[in-house]
Amino acid sequence: MAPEAVLSHLHRADGSATYTYNGYSIIGAVNGPIEVQRRDEMPEEATVEVNVRPAVGVGSPKERHLETLLHRTLQSIILTRSIPRTLVQITLQVRSLPADDTSTGVNTSLTLLPHLLHTSILALLSASIPLSTTLTAIPVAIPSSSKSAPLVSPTANDLLRAKPLRSIHVFAFSGDRKLLLNESDGAFSYEEWDEAYEAAEEVCCREGGVRLGEGMDVDMDVDMDGEGKVANLEAWLREVVKEKVGREQRWRVAT
Amino acid sequence: MATQPQPVPALSFPRPIFAALSPHPFLAAHLASDKAIRANGRKPQEFRTPGINTGSLTHCNGSAVVRLGNTAVVCGIRAEILRAEDIANPIVTGVRREDEDGEEDDREEIEGLRLLVPNIELATGSAPSHLPGSPPSTTAQTLVTRIRSLLISAHLLRADDLRITYAPPVPEDLDTPDVEQEEEIKGYWVLYIDTMFLSLDGAAFDAAWCALLAALRDTLIPHAYYDSDLETILCSDDPSQARKLKLRGLPVPSTFAVFESTEGDKEGDSEREKAWVLSDPDAFEEGVCKETVTVVVDGSGGTKGQSEENVRKIEKSGGGVIGRENMKGLIKRGVERWGVWERVLNDK
């Protein structure tokens, strides 16, 4: 159940990653630090530029909004002061969306946002851009019927079945478990928000917590130990980076 | 001829130059002082007093001007008719009546047919960073997306208010009084919601949304009916037949900015690090604060906003200062702010 990630597969970009999960597939490329346009140059910081390209058609105001959110979040974790007067350019191309994405009735930019965040952090890691911390993000949906528990990291199909939904939340946590980004939409109380927060934190960064995919559907965790042997998303990210470093250090190990 | 030695000019700048040269230490010095007052003279938790004037534009169905300190916004709403035969893929063909509690899931109808068209424009000279004559900036596009998403997710408008229906007369020879008369939708009102920033000094979303809210509450929709002889939709010009929109609830946003005392990468002296949450930031404060939080609260459901499920939207990005505990406080501040806006919107 863990997301799939392929790192550094584009040879012209400084760093790249393809991320596939739950029917979402996104290619990310990072160029940086590179020369910055005079107009955007900042004397003490690096400029961060994020471009989001949709799966179909050209960018719309919706993509601009996503870019703004990504820009603000990534700017807070990239050590922009250690590479002043340069540009870090992040391009994210949505390759495919789940088939039911538009019919779920929820704001589609919210369901896409965590995947864009993951792709960008993987691409930044692949490009070895100095970062202060990593991040993990997850969507949580609260269905209308008061008895059902929050859906953590629901697929488009889950959302369709759980319709009507009362609220949907996206949380992003840094490596030291601080809340970096939160987008919540719908009608909810603080207590519900808190519950969603807890559920999200559990999956993102709890030590030895539940595995991704557990708890939402009991019947599904049959093949859990074969495929998704990750404690949480944080551990998954660590695993991906470990693999990448291992591959880069191959020449040393082989002797 | 010994002249008095000139005193060496002290290395100090007047206030505006200090603010322009090093904005971050300037605000930090203000907040770290004993009085803990912001550079604009407000306390960290203090909002600006809103001012509203409605019905200022004569050619609109509804309009409002909202002032929030130096932020001034005009919002005009124009209703135009979308004929049913022009809709390529009708989403709903028959009229659905609302349930007893007036709740109806009309989101698909409003969103799918795009019956609400918000737009935001920054006027020339409204903000120093805004260059005139360029395509809509990222700021404007982001604002429109946020406004549109809140309009839809808050279920503010009823599709019932926007439908133009027609009940064909029952043929007299058919003696079936128990068959319910079938109403059909002949068209829709499409609301073009144009918002113009005359001046932008922070808290753009709050000002734009409240202008939109005030304008929607002011909107009068003329009585439209289908004329079967002319086979077209006609509007009555009698103002007494025009009706207001029935809005659901009153969601009000409050924006907060988080100011951190250490600029940039905070390595090392984390014990000296301090953060202030500033309510309703102005443009200068938005320039030095990285993290912002917007909380949309609707207290109209219960008494004094204490009801359950009073939050409509939370948007937070740009940093990690506001966590689980602080958010509770911010929602409380948002509820208080809701009361202020409610008073202003109701007795303008």
Side-chain angles (χ1 to χ4, degrees), chain B residues 210-239:
Chain B
C210 290
L212 178 149
L213 208 57
L216 279 175
R217 287 159 68 97
D218 179 56
T219 300
L220 273 178
I221 302 275
H223 174 64
Y225 55 95
Y226 182 74
D227 191 304
S228 54
D229 298 333
L230 292 169
E231 293 192 332
T232 184
I233 294 168
L234 297 178
C235 285
S236 143
D237 56 0
D238 183 4

PDB file of all heavy atoms in Angstrom, chain B residues 210-239:
ATOM      1  N   CYS B 210     -15.941  39.387   2.390  1.00  0.00           N
ATOM      2  CA  CYS B 210     -16.999  40.132   3.080  1.00  0.00           C
ATOM      3  C   CYS B 210     -17.696  41.095   2.127  1.00  0.00           C
ATOM      4  O   CYS B 210     -18.907  41.324   2.267  1.00  0.00           O
ATOM      5  CB  CYS B 210     -16.430  40.846   4.293  1.00  0.00           C
ATOM      6  SG  CYS B 210     -15.993  39.657   5.567  1.00  0.00           S
ATOM      7  N   ALA B 211     -16.974  41.641   1.153  1.00  0.00           N
ATOM      8  CA  ALA B 211     -17.616  42.482   0.145  1.00  0.00           C
ATOM      9  C   ALA B 211     -18.592  41.647  -0.667  1.00  0.00           C
ATOM     10  O   ALA B 211     -19.718  42.077  -0.964  1.00  0.00           O
ATOM     11  CB  ALA B 211     -16.562  43.107  -0.764  1.00  0.00           C
ATOM     12  N   LEU B 212     -18.173  40.448  -0.995  1.00  0.00           N
ATOM     13  CA  LEU B 212     -19.033  39.534  -1.762  1.00  0.00           C
ATOM     14  C   LEU B 212     -20.284  39.179  -0.952  1.00  0.00           C
ATOM     15  O   LEU B 212     -21.406  39.191  -1.466  1.00  0.00           O
ATOM     16  CB  LEU B 212     -18.210  38.297  -2.077  1.00  0.00           C
ATOM     17  CG  LEU B 212     -18.829  37.132  -2.835  1.00  0.00           C
ATOM     18  CD1 LEU B 212     -17.727  36.479  -3.642  1.00  0.00           C
ATOM     19  CD2 LEU B 212     -19.401  36.103  -1.922  1.00  0.00           C
ATOM     20  N   LEU B 213     -20.079  38.929   0.330  1.00  0.00           N
ATOM     21  CA  LEU B 213     -21.188  38.556   1.198  1.00  0.00           C
ATOM     22  C   LEU B 213     -22.191  39.706   1.301  1.00  0.00           C
ATOM     23  O   LEU B 213     -23.403  39.516   1.168  1.00  0.00           O
ATOM     24  CB  LEU B 213     -20.627  38.220   2.582  1.00  0.00           C
ATOM     25  CG  LEU B 213     -21.367  37.227   3.449  1.00  0.00           C
ATOM     26  CD1 LEU B 213     -21.514  35.917   2.710  1.00  0.00           C
ATOM     27  CD2 LEU B 213     -20.600  37.013   4.735  1.00  0.00           C
ATOM     28  N   ALA B 214     -21.657  40.910   1.518  1.00  0.00           N
ATOM     29  CA  ALA B 214     -22.536  42.072   1.654  1.00  0.00           C
ATOM     30  C   ALA B 214     -23.266  42.325   0.343  1.00  0.00           C
ATOM     31  O   ALA B 214     -24.454  42.671   0.340  1.00  0.00           O
ATOM     32  CB  ALA B 214     -21.720  43.293   2.053  1.00  0.00           C
ATOM     33  N   ALA B 215     -22.573  42.136  -0.786  1.00  0.00           N
ATOM     34  CA  ALA B 215     -23.205  42.378  -2.082  1.00  0.00           C
ATOM     35  C   ALA B 215     -24.290  41.337  -2.358  1.00  0.00           C
ATOM     36  O   ALA B 215     -25.356  41.666  -2.871  1.00  0.00           O
ATOM     37  CB  ALA B 215     -22.152  42.359  -3.186  1.00  0.00           C
ATOM     38  N   LEU B 216     -24.032  40.083  -1.978  1.00  0.00           N
ATOM     39  CA  LEU B 216     -25.039  39.038  -2.194  1.00  0.00           C
ATOM     40  C   LEU B 216     -26.280  39.294  -1.350  1.00  0.00           C
ATOM     41  O   LEU B 216     -27.402  39.060  -1.782  1.00  0.00           O
ATOM     42  CB  LEU B 216     -24.467  37.657  -1.852  1.00  0.00           C
ATOM     43  CG  LEU B 216     -23.610  36.982  -2.911  1.00  0.00           C
ATOM     44  CD1 LEU B 216     -23.026  35.700  -2.353  1.00  0.00           C
ATOM     45  CD2 LEU B 216     -24.402  36.673  -4.158  1.00  0.00           C
ATOM     46  N   ARG B 217     -26.070  39.789  -0.127  1.00  0.00           N
ATOM     47  CA  ARG B 217     -27.213  40.094   0.729  1.00  0.00           C
ATOM     48  C   ARG B 217     -28.002  41.271   0.207  1.00  0.00           C
ATOM     49  O   ARG B 217     -29.162  41.462   0.564  1.00  0.00           O
ATOM     50  CB  ARG B 217     -26.724  40.386   2.153  1.00  0.00           C
ATOM     51  CG  ARG B 217     -26.270  39.139   2.884  1.00  0.00           C
ATOM     52  CD  ARG B 217     -25.357  39.486   4.030  1.00  0.00           C
ATOM     53  NE  ARG B 217     -26.042  40.185   5.084  1.00  0.00           N
ATOM     54  CZ  ARG B 217     -26.529  39.597   6.176  1.00  0.00           C
ATOM     55  NH1 ARG B 217     -26.376  38.319   6.350  1.00  0.00           N
ATOM     56  NH2 ARG B 217     -27.139  40.289   7.103  1.00  0.00           N
ATOM     57  N   ASP B 218     -27.359  42.089  -0.624  1.00  0.00           N
ATOM     58  CA  ASP B 218     -27.994  43.277  -1.175  1.00  0.00           C
ATOM     59  C   ASP B 218     -28.653  42.984  -2.529  1.00  0.00           C
ATOM     60  O   ASP B 218     -29.408  43.796  -3.047  1.00  0.00           O
ATOM     61  CB  ASP B 218     -26.897  44.349  -1.315  1.00  0.00           C
ATOM     62  CG  ASP B 218     -27.410  45.635  -1.900  1.00  0.00           C
ATOM     63  OD1 ASP B 218     -28.356  46.171  -1.320  1.00  0.00           O
ATOM     64  OD2 ASP B 218     -26.874  46.082  -2.925  1.00  0.00           O
ATOM     65  N   THR B 219     -28.347  41.806  -3.087  1.00  0.00           N
ATOM     66  CA  THR B 219     -28.766  41.539  -4.473  1.00  0.00           C
ATOM     67  C   THR B 219     -30.270  41.360  -4.597  1.00  0.00           C
ATOM     68  O   THR B 219     -30.894  40.672  -3.792  1.00  0.00           O
ATOM     69  CB  THR B 219     -28.049  40.269  -4.971  1.00  0.00           C
ATOM     70  OG1 THR B 219     -26.657  40.497  -4.911  1.00  0.00           O
ATOM     71  CG2 THR B 219     -28.444  39.935  -6.392  1.00  0.00           C
ATOM     72  N   LEU B 220     -30.844  42.002  -5.615  1.00  0.00           N
ATOM     73  CA  LEU B 220     -32.252  41.834  -5.951  1.00  0.00           C
ATOM     74  C   LEU B 220     -32.318  41.181  -7.316  1.00  0.00           C
ATOM     75  O   LEU B 220     -31.718  41.662  -8.272  1.00  0.00           O
ATOM     76  CB  LEU B 220     -32.938  43.202  -6.027  1.00  0.00           C
ATOM     77  CG  LEU B 220     -33.490  43.799  -4.739  1.00  0.00           C
ATOM     78  CD1 LEU B 220     -34.064  45.163  -5.036  1.00  0.00           C
ATOM     79  CD2 LEU B 220     -34.546  42.898  -4.135  1.00  0.00           C
ATOM     80  N   ILE B 221     -33.029  40.054  -7.397  1.00  0.00           N
ATOM     81  CA  ILE B 221     -33.184  39.356  -8.670  1.00  0.00           C
ATOM     82  C   ILE B 221     -34.569  39.691  -9.213  1.00  0.00           C
ATOM     83  O   ILE B 221     -35.567  39.503  -8.500  1.00  0.00           O
ATOM     84  CB  ILE B 221     -33.056  37.833  -8.466  1.00  0.00           C
ATOM     85  CG1 ILE B 221     -31.718  37.490  -7.838  1.00  0.00           C
ATOM     86  CG2 ILE B 221     -33.288  37.086  -9.766  1.00  0.00           C
ATOM     87  CD1 ILE B 221     -30.593  37.337  -8.785  1.00  0.00           C
ATOM     88  N   PRO B 222     -34.675  40.219 -10.419  1.00  0.00           N
ATOM     89  CA  PRO B 222     -35.997  40.537 -10.957  1.00  0.00           C
ATOM     90  C   PRO B 222     -36.833  39.272 -11.158  1.00  0.00           C
ATOM     91  O   PRO B 222     -36.282  38.175 -11.323  1.00  0.00           O
ATOM     92  CB  PRO B 222     -35.700  41.236 -12.282  1.00  0.00           C
ATOM     93  CG  PRO B 222     -34.289  40.988 -12.580  1.00  0.00           C
ATOM     94  CD  PRO B 222     -33.601  40.593 -11.329  1.00  0.00           C
ATOM     95  N   HIS B 223     -38.122  39.439 -11.162  1.00  0.00           N
ATOM     96  CA  HIS B 223     -38.995  38.294 -11.370  1.00  0.00           C
ATOM     97  C   HIS B 223     -38.921  37.888 -12.839  1.00  0.00           C
ATOM     98  O   HIS B 223     -39.212  38.682 -13.727  1.00  0.00           O
ATOM     99  CB  HIS B 223     -40.426  38.660 -10.993  1.00  0.00           C
ATOM    100  CG  HIS B 223     -41.404  37.587 -11.321  1.00  0.00           C
ATOM    101  ND1 HIS B 223     -41.363  36.353 -10.728  1.00  0.00           N
ATOM    102  CD2 HIS B 223     -42.434  37.552 -12.204  1.00  0.00           C
ATOM    103  CE1 HIS B 223     -42.324  35.606 -11.221  1.00  0.00           C
ATOM    104  NE2 HIS B 223     -42.991  36.306 -12.128  1.00  0.00           N
ATOM    105  N   ALA B 224     -38.494  36.653 -13.087  1.00  0.00           N
ATOM    106  CA  ALA B 224     -38.372  36.170 -14.468  1.00  0.00           C
ATOM    107  C   ALA B 224     -39.385  35.066 -14.687  1.00  0.00           C
ATOM    108  O   ALA B 224     -39.612  34.247 -13.797  1.00  0.00           O
ATOM    109  CB  ALA B 224     -36.964  35.642 -14.705  1.00  0.00           C
ATOM    110  N   TYR B 225     -40.005  35.077 -15.837  1.00  0.00           N
ATOM    111  CA  TYR B 225     -41.001  34.038 -16.115  1.00  0.00           C
ATOM    112  C   TYR B 225     -40.922  33.641 -17.578  1.00  0.00           C
ATOM    113  O   TYR B 225     -40.431  34.390 -18.426  1.00  0.00           O
ATOM    114  CB  TYR B 225     -42.415  34.533 -15.769  1.00  0.00           C
ATOM    115  CG  TYR B 225     -42.792  35.826 -16.453  1.00  0.00           C
ATOM    116  CD1 TYR B 225     -43.516  35.816 -17.656  1.00  0.00           C
ATOM    117  CD2 TYR B 225     -42.419  37.058 -15.918  1.00  0.00           C
ATOM    118  CE1 TYR B 225     -43.840  36.994 -18.291  1.00  0.00           C
ATOM    119  CE2 TYR B 225     -42.744  38.237 -16.540  1.00  0.00           C
ATOM    120  CZ  TYR B 225     -43.454  38.208 -17.729  1.00  0.00           C
ATOM    121  OH  TYR B 225     -43.753  39.384 -18.365  1.00  0.00           O
ATOM    122  N   TYR B 226     -41.415  32.478 -17.846  1.00  0.00           N
ATOM    123  CA  TYR B 226     -41.389  31.962 -19.212  1.00  0.00           C
ATOM    124  C   TYR B 226     -42.712  32.303 -19.879  1.00  0.00           C
ATOM    125  O   TYR B 226     -43.787  32.047 -19.330  1.00  0.00           O
ATOM    126  CB  TYR B 226     -41.178  30.453 -19.170  1.00  0.00           C
ATOM    127  CG  TYR B 226     -41.087  29.815 -20.532  1.00  0.00           C
ATOM    128  CD1 TYR B 226     -39.952  29.968 -21.313  1.00  0.00           C
ATOM    129  CD2 TYR B 226     -42.145  29.072 -21.038  1.00  0.00           C
ATOM    130  CE1 TYR B 226     -39.862  29.393 -22.553  1.00  0.00           C
ATOM    131  CE2 TYR B 226     -42.065  28.489 -22.288  1.00  0.00           C
ATOM    132  CZ  TYR B 226     -40.917  28.645 -23.044  1.00  0.00           C
ATOM    133  OH  TYR B 226     -40.825  28.074 -24.274  1.00  0.00           O
ATOM    134  N   ASP B 227     -42.622  32.900 -21.032  1.00  0.00           N
ATOM    135  CA  ASP B 227     -43.831  33.250 -21.767  1.00  0.00           C
ATOM    136  C   ASP B 227     -44.017  32.206 -22.859  1.00  0.00           C
ATOM    137  O   ASP B 227     -43.207  32.108 -23.783  1.00  0.00           O
ATOM    138  CB  ASP B 227     -43.673  34.658 -22.352  1.00  0.00           C
ATOM    139  CG  ASP B 227     -44.996  35.166 -22.891  1.00  0.00           C
ATOM    140  OD1 ASP B 227     -45.599  34.490 -23.754  1.00  0.00           O
ATOM    141  OD2 ASP B 227     -45.419  36.249 -22.447  1.00  0.00           O
ATOM    142  N   SER B 228     -45.103  31.427 -22.747  1.00  0.00           N
ATOM    143  CA  SER B 228     -45.257  30.310 -23.681  1.00  0.00           C
ATOM    144  C   SER B 228     -45.628  30.778 -25.082  1.00  0.00           C
ATOM    145  O   SER B 228     -45.378  30.085 -26.067  1.00  0.00           O
ATOM    146  CB  SER B 228     -46.302  29.334 -23.147  1.00  0.00           C
ATOM    147  OG  SER B 228     -47.482  30.052 -22.879  1.00  0.00           O
ATOM    148  N   ASP B 229     -46.229  31.983 -25.194  1.00  0.00           N
ATOM    149  CA  ASP B 229     -46.575  32.477 -26.531  1.00  0.00           C
ATOM    150  C   ASP B 229     -45.321  32.943 -27.271  1.00  0.00           C
ATOM    151  O   ASP B 229     -45.124  32.637 -28.435  1.00  0.00           O
ATOM    152  CB  ASP B 229     -47.564  33.623 -26.429  1.00  0.00           C
ATOM    153  CG  ASP B 229     -48.862  33.163 -25.776  1.00  0.00           C
ATOM    154  OD1 ASP B 229     -49.161  31.962 -25.902  1.00  0.00           O
ATOM    155  OD2 ASP B 229     -49.527  33.984 -25.140  1.00  0.00           O
ATOM    156  N   LEU B 230     -44.496  33.675 -26.565  1.00  0.00           N
ATOM    157  CA  LEU B 230     -43.270  34.170 -27.202  1.00  0.00           C
ATOM    158  C   LEU B 230     -42.156  33.121 -27.163  1.00  0.00           C
ATOM    159  O   LEU B 230     -41.136  33.279 -27.820  1.00  0.00           O
ATOM    160  CB  LEU B 230     -42.785  35.430 -26.488  1.00  0.00           C
ATOM    161  CG  LEU B 230     -43.689  36.657 -26.642  1.00  0.00           C
ATOM    162  CD1 LEU B 230     -43.250  37.747 -25.684  1.00  0.00           C
ATOM    163  CD2 LEU B 230     -43.632  37.171 -28.069  1.00  0.00           C
ATOM    164  N   GLU B 231     -42.373  32.095 -26.370  1.00  0.00           N
ATOM    165  CA  GLU B 231     -41.381  31.036 -26.147  1.00  0.00           C
ATOM    166  C   GLU B 231     -40.031  31.589 -25.729  1.00  0.00           C
ATOM    167  O   GLU B 231     -38.986  31.240 -26.274  1.00  0.00           O
ATOM    168  CB  GLU B 231     -41.242  30.161 -27.404  1.00  0.00           C
ATOM    169  CG  GLU B 231     -42.497  29.376 -27.689  1.00  0.00           C
ATOM    170  CD  GLU B 231     -42.280  28.314 -28.730  1.00  0.00           C
ATOM    171  OE1 GLU B 231     -41.397  28.519 -29.570  1.00  0.00           O
ATOM    172  OE2 GLU B 231     -42.976  27.291 -28.687  1.00  0.00           O
ATOM    173  N   THR B 232     -40.082  32.468 -24.777  1.00  0.00           N
ATOM    174  CA  THR B 232     -38.832  33.036 -24.276  1.00  0.00           C
ATOM    175  C   THR B 232     -39.026  33.440 -22.814  1.00  0.00           C
ATOM    176  O   THR B 232     -40.147  33.448 -22.300  1.00  0.00           O
ATOM    177  CB  THR B 232     -38.397  34.235 -25.135  1.00  0.00           C
ATOM    178  OG1 THR B 232     -37.143  34.694 -24.674  1.00  0.00           O
ATOM    179  CG2 THR B 232     -39.387  35.386 -25.044  1.00  0.00           C
ATOM    180  N   ILE B 233     -37.906  33.765 -22.168  1.00  0.00           N
ATOM    181  CA  ILE B 233     -37.972  34.177 -20.766  1.00  0.00           C
ATOM    182  C   ILE B 233     -38.063  35.697 -20.721  1.00  0.00           C
ATOM    183  O   ILE B 233     -37.287  36.396 -21.386  1.00  0.00           O
ATOM    184  CB  ILE B 233     -36.735  33.690 -19.997  1.00  0.00           C
ATOM    185  CG1 ILE B 233     -36.747  32.165 -19.928  1.00  0.00           C
ATOM    186  CG2 ILE B 233     -36.707  34.281 -18.604  1.00  0.00           C
ATOM    187  CD1 ILE B 233     -35.455  31.563 -19.457  1.00  0.00           C
ATOM    188  N   LEU B 234     -39.001  36.204 -19.979  1.00  0.00           N
ATOM    189  CA  LEU B 234     -39.169  37.643 -19.838  1.00  0.00           C
ATOM    190  C   LEU B 234     -38.938  38.020 -18.379  1.00  0.00           C
ATOM    191  O   LEU B 234     -39.125  37.213 -17.482  1.00  0.00           O
ATOM    192  CB  LEU B 234     -40.570  38.067 -20.256  1.00  0.00           C
ATOM    193  CG  LEU B 234     -40.958  37.819 -21.708  1.00  0.00           C
ATOM    194  CD1 LEU B 234     -42.397  38.242 -21.942  1.00  0.00           C
ATOM    195  CD2 LEU B 234     -40.037  38.564 -22.657  1.00  0.00           C
ATOM    196  N   CYS B 235     -38.536  39.277 -18.172  1.00  0.00           N
ATOM    197  CA  CYS B 235     -38.341  39.761 -16.815  1.00  0.00           C
ATOM    198  C   CYS B 235     -39.333  40.861 -16.523  1.00  0.00           C
ATOM    199  O   CYS B 235     -39.587  41.711 -17.387  1.00  0.00           O
ATOM    200  CB  CYS B 235     -36.933  40.315 -16.629  1.00  0.00           C
ATOM    201  SG  CYS B 235     -35.715  39.051 -16.518  1.00  0.00           S
ATOM    202  N   SER B 236     -39.882  40.853 -15.354  1.00  0.00           N
ATOM    203  CA  SER B 236     -40.800  41.909 -14.962  1.00  0.00           C
ATOM    204  C   SER B 236     -39.993  43.116 -14.506  1.00  0.00           C
ATOM    205  O   SER B 236     -38.982  42.975 -13.818  1.00  0.00           O
ATOM    206  CB  SER B 236     -41.694  41.381 -13.854  1.00  0.00           C
ATOM    207  OG  SER B 236     -41.948  42.391 -12.939  1.00  0.00           O
ATOM    208  N   ASP B 237     -40.441  44.312 -14.870  1.00  0.00           N
ATOM    209  CA  ASP B 237     -39.689  45.495 -14.434  1.00  0.00           C
ATOM    210  C   ASP B 237     -40.291  46.126 -13.183  1.00  0.00           C
ATOM    211  O   ASP B 237     -39.931  47.229 -12.803  1.00  0.00           O
ATOM    212  CB  ASP B 237     -39.549  46.516 -15.580  1.00  0.00           C
ATOM    213  CG  ASP B 237     -40.895  46.927 -16.133  1.00  0.00           C
ATOM    214  OD1 ASP B 237     -41.911  46.424 -15.618  1.00  0.00           O
ATOM    215  OD2 ASP B 237     -40.932  47.733 -17.078  1.00  0.00           O
ATOM    216  N   ASP B 238     -41.195  45.408 -12.570  1.00  0.00           N
ATOM    217  CA  ASP B 238     -41.796  45.911 -11.347  1.00  0.00           C
ATOM    218  C   ASP B 238     -40.880  45.603 -10.169  1.00  0.00           C
ATOM    219  O   ASP B 238     -40.644  44.439  -9.844  1.00  0.00           O
ATOM    220  CB  ASP B 238     -43.162  45.221 -11.162  1.00  0.00           C
ATOM    221  CG  ASP B 238     -43.881  45.746  -9.932  1.00  0.00           C
ATOM    222  OD1 ASP B 238     -43.354  46.681  -9.297  1.00  0.00           O
ATOM    223  OD2 ASP B 238     -44.957  45.213  -9.620  1.00  0.00           O
ATOM    224  N   PRO B 239     -40.344  46.628  -9.516  1.00  0.00           N
ATOM    225  CA  PRO B 239     -39.396  46.349  -8.432  1.00  0.00           C
ATOM    226  C   PRO B 239     -40.024  45.607  -7.259  1.00  0.00           C
ATOM    227  O   PRO B 239     -39.324  44.938  -6.502  1.00  0.00           O
ATOM    228  CB  PRO B 239     -38.893  47.728  -8.025  1.00  0.00           C
ATOM    229  CG  PRO B 239     -39.774  48.704  -8.677  1.00  0.00           C
ATOM    230  CD  PRO B 239     -40.514  48.053  -9.780  1.00  0.00           C
TER     231      PRO B 239
END
